[in-house]
Amino acid sequence: MPRCVPTLPRRRLLAAPAALLLAPLAAQAWMARTFPANALRGVINFSAPPQILLNGESARLAPGARIRGTDNMMKLPGTLTGQRFVVNYTLEINSGTVLDVWLLRDDEADKRPWPMTLEQARSWTFDAAAQTWTRP
C-alpha cells in the first residue's frame, strides 16, 4: 500500500507561510527596547534564586520578578545561576527588592550616562523618547 509522503515542492509550500509568520517575531527581537524612567543600571551576579549580587551587594529578586533576556524574551532565574550580566533594573517600592531586570545588549549597555543609584535618577533628567539621561 503506497503511503502519501509530501514531495519536496509541497514541503516548501508548507514552510513558506510558517517563515512569514515567524519573521515579525525575529524582527521584534532586535527592535530598540524602551526602559522606564525608574530603571537603574547595574551588574547582577545570579546565585541561588531569589538571591542575587547587585553591584557587589547581596539583594533579592521580588516575588514575580520579570527577567528579560537580550532578545526581550522572559528568562527564569534558575537558568542564569552563576552568570554575570550588565542590566537595567527596577526596584519594588515597598520592599526594595529587584522587580524588573533587562539583560542588556552591547549597544544598550553603551548608552551613557545611566544612573546607578536612586539619588542619581532623582537629580538627572531622563528623555524617554531618546532613552538618554542628562546630568545636571
Side-chain angles (χ1 to χ4, degrees):
M1 174 189 253
R3 294 190 178 179
C4 183
V5 178
T7 61
L8 185 59
R10 194 168 184 197
R11 285 184 186 161
R12 286 186 188 154
L13 288 175
L14 294 175
L20 290 175
L21 290 174
L22 294 175
L25 294 176
Q28 287 178 349
W30 294 106
M31 290 178 62
R33 297 190 286 181
T34 57
F35 304 106
N38 63 336
L40 303 174
R41 176 76 45 91
V43 176
I44 288 185
N45 292 330
F46 288 91
S47 53
Q51 293 295 338
I52 57 172
L53 279 178
L54 177 60
N55 298 326
E57 296 182 16
S58 181
R60 291 179 61 91
L61 293 172
R66 295 174 296 265
I67 303 170
R68 294 173 182 87
T70 57
D71 57 359
N72 217 31
M73 300 293 288
M74 299 299 278
K75 304 288 182 191
L76 297 173
T79 63
L80 304 172
T81 300
Q83 299 181 52
R84 178 182 180 270
F85 298 95
V86 175
V87 300
N88 282 353
Y89 66 94
T90 61
L91 297 173
E92 205 278 320
I93 296 170
N94 296 328
S95 65
T97 55
V98 177
L99 183 59
D100 292 298
V101 177
W102 293 268
L103 308 180
L104 298 181
R105 298 187 309 258
D106 291 337
D107 63 316
E108 294 169 334
D110 289 341
K111 284 192 176 185
R112 295 197 179 138
W114 201 280
M116 294 186 75
T117 65
L118 289 171
E119 292 76 29
Q120 289 175 341
R122 288 183 188 120
S123 63
W124 297 3
T125 306
F126 183 61
D127 181 356
Q131 290 289 294
T132 57
W133 285 88
T134 308
R135 293 179 185 157

